[in-house]
Amino acid sequence: MKSDFTVFFFSFFTLTAAAALEDLLPRFCGVVPPLVMASSIIFSSRKFFSWSVTLLFAAAAGAIEDSLCAFPPATSASFFVLASFVVRRLRLSMTLATLAFPLYIVWLWMWALVPSSVGLIGFFVFSILGFVTNFALEKIIGFAAKKAGVT
């Protein structure tokens, strides 16, 4: 690892690019690939940061997700921090970490924030998109981190 500034810039760029792509991608069955959440989970499992910075990154990713989806403040941020904490503390594999995506929809259903257009089909589509997005983004972030000299 070169420096904390390099890691910060790399994570900031990754989060910004994920948020921009998530906002621009078309919706399928009312959902979009969860790029921001996937980047939060990937950064918590790759151990780029210390514990406090990992949770701060997850909170920032959640705040961005809240603003993209027009959710009340800290709705996604609280779940992202909790998911990142569990992934990092239990050292979950990426396969088990993808369980966070269907749990996120359940979390939003608990707060009655899921639009009526996202039903059971949207739940399954979001879970599958989360699974695929997580693995694809893990490879992309890993490759970019090597090229950027972060790892």
Side-chain angles (χ1 to χ4, degrees):
M1 187 178 332
K2 287 193 174 191
S3 70
D4 291 337
F5 180 74
T6 307
V7 174
F8 171 77
F9 183 75
F10 180 74
S11 63
F12 177 76
F13 176 75
T14 302
L15 190 57
T16 305
L21 279 173
E22 187 173 315
D23 194 35
L24 293 175
L25 288 173
R27 297 189 177 275
F28 181 70
C29 294
V31 296
V32 68
L35 297 170
V36 175
M37 185 176 175
S39 65
S40 173
I41 289 174
I42 289 165
F43 272 90
S44 65
S45 69
R46 294 187 68 83
K47 296 180 183 52
F48 284 129
F49 309 125
S50 65
W51 270 95
S52 58
V53 178
T54 298
L55 297 180
L56 183 64
F57 180 81
I64 289 172
E65 187 71 27
D66 287 338
S67 66
L68 287 175
C69 298
F71 291 152
T75 304
S76 298
S78 57
F79 184 82
F80 285 14
V81 168
L82 180 64
S84 293
F85 177 80
V86 169
V87 167
R88 183 150 180 180
R89 177 72 177 124
L90 299 179
R91 295 181 183 102
L92 295 178
S93 66
M94 275 298 111
T95 305
L96 284 176
T98 57
L99 290 175
F101 296 103
L103 291 175
Y104 179 60
I105 294 293
V106 171
W107 175 264
L108 293 177
W109 274 337
M110 284 179 15
W111 295 104
L113 292 172
V114 177
S116 60
S117 63
V118 178
L120 193 58
I121 295 172
F123 173 78
F124 289 117
V125 168
F126 186 80
S127 300
I128 292 169
L129 282 175
F131 184 79
V132 170
T133 301
N134 200 38
F135 282 109
L137 202 59
E138 181 187 18
K139 300 297 181 195
I140 293 169
I141 288 176
F143 177 75
K146 285 183 183 176
K147 290 294 185 182
V150 175
T151 57

